[in-house]
């Protein structure tokens, strides 16, 4: 019985909807769960897509996603909250730590991935699967190129240069803009 049918049957049985009296002795009609909730069934396709996405997010794209973020807004907001140079230095150190942690996570992912590929190359070579071994070797070469790029980014970030240092510059720019905004609103707008 649908939800609207429930109300219509109550109105029709009393003859007038205004004369409806609640009868506590009648039990409530149970409405099935499927009326309100739609349940999703997990298919093997969605499970396979989830695995692919998680592997993709662990690779070099995770590092580039982190580096490409604009930290200027965060710096600006942080300056408005606490316009102290010690606060600026602490937040810059925190950003550097986040970058280092992200790089370690990605390097670990690639090291594990290369170990797994080496195993597959060895076992498929023994089985005489030449095409598969060549495909695996290409994947391994790509992973090693990604690791080399990551090492360059890591080295440059430690020397305060390169694309890894861009997040620090972005944050500093935002922080300094926040300091300028404080000065502008609290001092420059005052007329005397």
């Amino acid at each position: 019985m649908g939800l609207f049918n429930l109300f219509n049957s109550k109105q029709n049985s009393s003859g007038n909807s205004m004369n409806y009296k609640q009868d506590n002795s009648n039990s409530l009609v149970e409405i099935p769960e499927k009326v309100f909730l739609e349940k999703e069934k997990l298919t093997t396709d969605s499970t396979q897509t989830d695995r692919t996405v998680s592997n993709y997010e662990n690779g070099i794209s995770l590092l580039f996603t982190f580096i490409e973020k604009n930290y200027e807004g965060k710096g600006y907001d942080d300056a408005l909250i606490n316009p102290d140079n010690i606060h600026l230095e602490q937040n810059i150190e925190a950003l550097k730590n986040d970058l280092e942690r992200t790089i370690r996570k990605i390097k670990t992912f690639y090291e594990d991935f290369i170990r797994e590929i080496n195993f597959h190359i060895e076992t498929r070579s023994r089985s005489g699967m030449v095409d598969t071994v060549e495909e695996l070797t290409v994947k391994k070469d790509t992973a090693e190129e990604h690791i080399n790029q990551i090492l360059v980014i890591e080295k440059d970030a430690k020397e305060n240069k390169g694309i890894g240092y861009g997040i620090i510059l972005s944050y500093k720019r935002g922080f300094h803009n926040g300091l300028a905004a404080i000065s502008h609103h609290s001092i420059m707008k005052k007329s005397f």
Side-chain angles (χ1 to χ4, degrees):
M1 175 182 280
L3 185 60
F4 293 106
N5 292 341
L6 173 69
F7 292 124
N8 287 337
S9 68
K10 292 287 184 182
Q11 283 181 342
N12 291 340
S13 66
S14 65
N16 188 352
S17 62
M18 296 300 228
N19 294 333
Y20 175 73
K21 294 180 184 176
Q22 187 175 9
D23 187 9
N24 289 336
S25 64
N26 290 342
S27 64
L28 296 175
V29 176
E30 187 172 323
I31 300 172
E33 181 180 357
K34 67 180 182 180
V35 172
F36 294 104
L37 300 176
E38 184 176 329
K39 295 182 180 180
E40 290 185 28
K41 295 179 182 176
L42 288 178
T43 62
T44 56
D45 294 339
S46 65
T47 307
Q48 184 65 26
T49 303
D50 291 343
R51 286 188 201 133
T52 305
V53 169
S54 65
N55 285 340
Y56 178 74
E57 290 175 353
N58 287 327
I60 198 166
S61 62
L62 177 66
L63 178 60
F64 284 121
T65 300
F66 181 79
I67 289 173
E68 290 170 353
K69 282 184 187 174
N70 185 355
Y71 292 92
E72 196 168 336
K74 180 174 175 18
Y76 184 88
D77 292 341
D78 287 347
L80 295 179
I81 293 170
N82 187 356
D84 187 4
N85 277 336
I86 293 174
H87 184 65
L88 169 67
E89 292 169 11
Q90 289 173 342
N91 287 333
I92 287 173
E93 194 62 34
L95 277 175
K96 287 180 180 180
N97 288 338
D98 287 346
L99 177 61
E100 184 179 336
R101 188 172 33 258
T102 302
I103 288 173
R104 282 186 185 177
K105 178 180 177 181
I106 295 167
K107 284 187 342 188
T108 302
F109 167 76
Y110 277 115
E111 289 166 357
D112 293 345
F113 185 64
I114 289 173
R115 263 193 294 285
E116 187 176 348
I117 286 178
N118 285 335
F119 169 77
H120 284 269
I121 288 173
E122 184 180 320
T123 58
R124 291 348 177 236
S125 293
R126 285 187 293 207
S127 299
M129 302 172 74
V130 177
D131 291 340
T132 304
V133 169
E134 288 177 4
E135 288 178 27
L136 290 168
T137 303
V138 168
K139 282 279 196 189
K140 179 182 175 183
D141 292 343
T142 302
E144 288 172 344
E145 287 175 20
H146 287 184
I147 286 179
N148 289 336
Q149 289 178 18
I150 291 166
L151 293 174
V152 168
I153 292 170
E154 181 181 35
K155 180 181 174 251
D156 286 349
K158 287 180 180 179
E159 296 173 359
N160 292 333
K161 63 180 184 178
I163 63 173
Y165 188 63
I167 61 175
I168 304 302
L169 293 176
S170 173
Y171 182 82
K172 281 183 178 180
R173 185 173 38 252
F175 197 89
H176 290 138
N177 287 341
L179 293 177
I182 291 171
S183 296
H184 181 73
H185 288 290
S186 63
I187 303 295
M188 303 293 222
K189 291 247 179 184
K190 289 187 178 180
S191 58
F192 46 94

